[in-house]
Amino acid sequence: AFERTYSYLNGGSRLSRNTKSLRWVLGLEVQKSDLEGTIINRNQSIANGFTNVLPSANARWQVNQASNASINYQTSTRDPSLTELQPFVDNTDPLRTYSGNPDLTPQYQHSLRTEFRRFDQFSFQSIYLFANMGYNTNQIVQSRVIDAQGRQTVKPINLGDGWSSNIGGSYGSPLRSLGLQADLDYSYNRTSGSELVNQVENVNHTTNHSVGIRLQNRTKRLFDVSAGAQLDFNSVKYSINSQLN
């Protein structure tokens, strides 16, 4: 058992401007985080602190009365947890022992999101498009050592970079002759990450396609009925153990 206390100190500034069609904001923040923990049954203490600079930016355009677009950039960190920092081995499960790593440093995360929306108030048709991109540096991942008997020793480490992407959109339109509203959507996701397996880097790529359709009644004064279907296609590839692809 252990006790832990996280404390965060943030300070920064923002610069913004508004016009009739455009609003933008630039920000810069300094974040200081401190972790103090006590491992009760071992009478050990853990203390760690990190300081990071976190820029941000976003903008929103009113293209016309029916359409708008936006872009948003954010940075953040993922600090190591007390469990990841603890300097001893947990052998509760003899087939999977876990060892903390007091030398871990925070994972730094970048995220970028763009959106476009359009709604025609005369035809009641709508379009929504989006794209997301995430990029992580100094990732906190697992290092696994597996012996001939299949026993694992797991330890968190900082290892390289990883990324994720997500794009998609939706289209909605009334089917007036049927008294229905139809919505179609699609999304594509792709991520890349890594871990160490017996000191060899194992890079994995995950891909997902998702297609969906939804129908619902337009007049809801007496009842509300909807039906939909969704198809997902998934693919996972590993740089080692390719037989699992």
Side-chain angles (χ1 to χ4, degrees):
F2 50 80
E3 297 177 346
R4 60 185 173 187
T5 301
Y6 274 106
S7 61
Y8 293 90
L9 180 63
N10 297 67
S13 61
R14 289 186 178 183
L15 178 65
S16 64
R17 182 175 180 180
N18 289 304
T19 66
K20 184 177 180 180
S21 60
L22 175 64
R23 178 182 185 272
W24 58 261
V25 180
L26 299 177
L28 186 64
E29 186 175 281
V30 178
Q31 174 182 282
K32 187 177 188 309
S33 60
D34 290 289
L35 167 64
E36 294 182 358
T38 301
I39 305 167
I40 298 173
N41 56 353
R42 290 176 176 259
N43 196 28
Q44 291 182 332
S45 297
I46 296 176
N48 221 327
F50 309 100
T51 301
N52 291 281
V53 177
L54 305 174
S56 63
N58 65 76
R60 185 177 187 274
W61 293 270
Q62 191 66 42
V63 181
N64 53 45
Q65 195 171 19
S67 307
N68 65 75
S70 64
I71 183 170
N72 183 63
Y73 168 71
Q74 296 285 336
T75 54
S76 61
T77 61
R78 206 255 296 171
D79 290 346
S81 68
L82 181 60
T83 301
E84 291 170 328
L85 292 169
Q86 61 189 11
F88 63 86
V89 175
D90 180 357
N91 56 5
T92 305
D93 182 356
L95 297 179
R96 188 181 186 276
T97 59
Y98 184 89
S99 173
N101 181 0
D103 296 324
L104 284 176
T105 56
Q107 173 177 302
Y108 197 92
Q109 302 168 154
H110 304 261
S111 64
L112 179 67
R113 180 175 180 85
T114 60
E115 294 182 330
F116 174 79
R117 301 174 188 268
R118 176 176 173 80
F119 177 73
D120 190 317
Q121 60 183 338
F122 300 105
S123 67
F124 289 93
Q125 294 179 334
S126 63
I127 296 175
Y128 172 61
L129 302 173
F130 67 88
N132 299 313
M133 181 70 184
Y135 180 68
N136 302 325
T137 62
N138 203 39
Q139 286 193 119
I140 299 175
V141 302
Q142 288 189 345
S143 171
R144 295 188 293 139
V145 177
I146 307 172
D147 64 20
Q149 286 74 42
R151 294 172 298 193
Q152 297 187 40
T153 300
V154 181
K155 180 179 182 178
I157 61 170
N158 292 109
L159 179 68
D161 305 336
W163 56 268
S164 64
S165 60
N166 173 222
I167 61 173
S170 63
Y171 171 74
S173 177
L175 305 176
R176 290 185 172 85
S177 61
L178 300 176
L180 298 175
Q181 169 72 22
D183 296 288
L184 301 172
D185 58 74
Y186 168 77
S187 68
Y188 168 80
N189 301 275
R190 184 172 174 85
T191 62
S192 174
S194 61
E195 65 173 356
L196 283 187
V197 179
N198 290 342
Q199 303 304 312
V200 177
E201 185 174 3
N202 182 27
V203 180
N204 63 79
H205 298 283
T206 303
T207 303
N208 168 264
H209 297 267
S210 180
V211 181
I213 182 172
R214 184 169 180 263
L215 297 173
Q216 58 182 315
N217 61 308
R218 297 186 65 209
T219 304
K220 302 179 184 294
R221 282 176 288 185
L222 297 178
F223 56 88
D224 185 355
V225 178
S226 64
Q230 181 172 307
L231 291 176
D232 290 286
F233 306 90
N234 299 297
S235 171
V236 182
K237 294 183 178 181
Y238 302 94
S239 59
I240 60 177
N241 294 330
S242 57
Q243 65 272 17
L244 299 177
N245 291 350

